[in-house]
Amino acid sequence: MTEPDGVAGAWRERLAALPPSERAPALVELVRAEVATVLGHAQVEAVDRDFPELGLDSLMSVLLRNRLSLLAGIPLAATVAYDWPSAEQLAEHLYAELSGALADEAAAAVPPEGDPRHEPTRPDIPTVERRRETGRSLPTLYRQVCETGDVVSAMHLLVSASLAAPTFGHDEGARHAIPPLRLASGADGPALVCVPGFATNLGRPWYAGLAGPFDGERDVFELRHPGVDTGVAVARDLETLAELHAATVRRQLGDRPYVVVGHSMGGSAAHAVTARLAADGAPPAGLVLVDSYHVTPDREAEPWLLAMPARIPAAVGERFDSAVDDLTLLALGAYTRMFRGWDPQPMRVPTLLVRACEPLPDMPERWRSSWPLPHDAVDAPGSHLGVLEENARTTARAVREWIDALAPGRGRTA
């Protein structure tokens, strides 16, 4: 590593001591070294390619984010390696974020004798070290409960803890808006605006698989929920969340035609956002629900449903504890809580439900996805998860064919 482990903000002092003209090049070298370490390369020259070519997977990207955030002393989104997919681009982004702090660091005077900053940290308040030793962070607790198999209690843990999450209201939405991820580019047909569920995917966009077949054809964007992997707070209520995302869509697309897409629990969020856009007079051309379930009160405690977000800590194991922060899990609990008892309201937007053809383990007898409002339906190969991964191409084909069949004025009450 370029600095001793655990030295928070170590790069600031190091860069501030350099002439301004040397800081950016030095930061590039520091970032290259960290990328090489995460990927296990002895030589930094081995990382002089874009991250996708280097095989930087979702877990590695989050570990890199954690390391850079620590050394730079600034919060970074879990998707930062996707937003800036090379060492040079990432260093440029970091330098822009650090510029103000570096100026303050360079101008700071040495504290005078007797200044409290000279006093050592009191050894009788080992709060941070105690948490590290006992492993009692929220990600650790959630993972450990998930590993017992009691996924219902694991979700209850997050829902209860989310009551203490930092929040923002609709009047603060502009400050907390997060630019969407662009997953594909093209000028043909309506753009796709994809709304994810509320669980972390360890930095990898949820719709990366679905977007691939559309690249070169049409734009595909993925919205990001405040608090999940990025941001400093969660929306106070469902209305605030829908309003924030609707504003992001209008700002990104203007008058261009688009279709909203939501998978799993993201389908409920997609409907809420679509309803807000329709109420504002700017409805999408259509709404696509990919294997989405309307979670009624009698279903919200079903283990098979709550096992879906729990599969990630189960698969990653103890590495999950350092790859995810507390706020990401508080956000999962908060947004899940907001949709308890929620019912989608009718609106005049054509709606498609893409249903998976294969059940996941432990699903109930009536496992097929359904939606309580009028819609078109099409079956797609794969499981609930596979329709966006190994079977993403056939799912994309079904979505494309439905969108192409939409005609002006076709709208159904959905």
Side-chain angles (χ1 to χ4, degrees):
M1 291 290 184
T2 55
E3 292 286 345
D5 287 345
V7 182
W11 285 356
R12 292 190 183 191
E13 182 177 354
R14 181 168 179 172
L15 294 171
L18 297 174
S21 62
E22 298 179 14
R23 293 172 185 170
L27 185 56
V28 171
E29 295 309 308
L30 291 171
V31 171
R32 290 174 73 215
E34 291 302 325
V35 174
T37 299
V38 168
L39 289 169
H41 293 300
Q43 303 296 326
V44 295
E45 291 78 10
V47 302
D48 290 340
R49 289 179 290 161
D50 287 351
F51 294 154
E53 298 178 45
L54 293 171
L56 191 76
D57 62 22
S58 56
L59 178 60
M60 290 177 181
S61 70
V62 173
L63 296 177
L64 177 63
R65 182 280 304 262
N66 291 348
R67 184 65 185 169
L68 297 181
S69 182
L70 173 72
L71 291 171
I74 56 175
L76 296 172
T79 55
V80 70
Y82 288 94
D83 297 336
W84 312 96
S86 72
E88 290 74 15
Q89 294 177 54
L90 187 49
E92 183 178 352
H93 171 66
L94 283 176
Y95 190 73
E97 294 292 311
L98 279 170
S99 57
L102 289 175
D104 293 341
E105 191 88 34
V110 177
E113 197 66 35
D115 189 289
R117 285 173 287 178
H118 275 303
E119 297 180 7
T121 303
R122 290 177 56 187
D124 58 336
I125 312 180
T127 306
V128 175
E129 288 304 319
R130 183 171 60 199
R131 195 182 82 168
R132 287 175 180 163
E133 292 173 6
T134 58
R136 296 302 179 184
S137 67
L138 185 57
T140 300
L141 290 172
Y142 177 63
R143 173 183 58 79
Q144 290 175 340
V145 177
C146 288
E147 288 174 347
T148 69
D150 189 353
V151 293
V152 175
S153 293
M155 182 54 72
H156 286 173
L157 167 69
L158 299 187
V159 169
S160 298
S162 73
L163 295 171
T167 62
F168 64 90
H170 70 90
D171 55 329
E172 305 169 285
R175 276 200 309 121
H176 293 272
I178 303 168
L181 295 173
R182 180 188 288 272
L183 305 182
S185 299
D188 296 339
L192 300 185
V193 177
C194 301
V195 185
F198 305 120
T200 178
N201 200 24
L202 298 181
R204 183 176 186 266
W206 280 103
Y207 294 89
L210 184 69
F214 290 108
D215 198 24
E217 173 187 321
R218 70 185 74 210
D219 288 341
V220 178
F221 299 95
E222 181 171 318
L223 300 181
R224 294 188 276 182
H225 302 303
V228 181
D229 293 329
T230 190
V232 296
V234 302
R236 183 173 300 157
D237 49 41
L238 181 54
E239 292 73 22
T240 298
L241 180 68
E243 182 180 273
L244 179 145
H245 284 323
T248 297
V249 172
R250 291 193 298 268
R251 186 166 51 250
Q252 183 70 44
L253 295 174
D255 296 330
R256 293 177 55 194
Y258 65 96
V259 169
V260 176
V261 180
H263 170 251
S264 191
M265 194 62 187
S268 295
H271 183 100
V273 173
T274 298
R276 178 59 195 233
L277 287 161
D280 291 344
L287 169 65
V288 176
L289 305 173
V290 181
D291 214 45
S292 294
Y293 292 83
H294 176 219
V295 182
T296 53
D298 59 309
R299 303 184 73 176
E300 64 182 17
E302 292 187 6
W304 69 270
L305 200 61
L306 300 182
M308 292 181 187
R311 69 186 175 85
I312 295 178
V316 175
E318 292 184 4
R319 294 178 297 171
F320 180 82
D321 304 359
S322 59
V324 177
D325 59 22
D326 286 359
L327 183 57
T328 290
L329 293 183
L330 290 174
L332 170 57
Y335 293 132
T336 299
R337 170 167 47 83
M338 289 177 200
F339 275 93
R340 297 185 69 179
W342 173 80
D343 283 315
Q345 297 302 305
M347 57 186 181
R348 291 195 60 82
V349 175
T351 301
L352 171 69
L353 175 65
V354 180
R355 299 180 302 186
C357 290
E358 301 170 15
L360 289 171
D362 302 319
M363 274 186 157
E365 182 178 348
R366 298 181 63 182
W367 61 271
R368 297 298 298 273
S369 61
S370 61
W371 196 247
L373 298 176
H375 58 269
D376 297 324
V378 62
D379 293 338
S383 67
H384 179 78
L385 304 174
V387 290
L388 286 190
E389 294 298 337
E390 62 267 23
N391 298 104
R393 188 165 296 278
T394 52
T395 302
R397 183 185 307 123
V399 172
R400 180 187 296 110
E401 290 175 353
W402 182 78
I403 293 175
D404 290 346
L406 288 177
R410 177 181 177 270
R412 301 175 54 177
T413 301

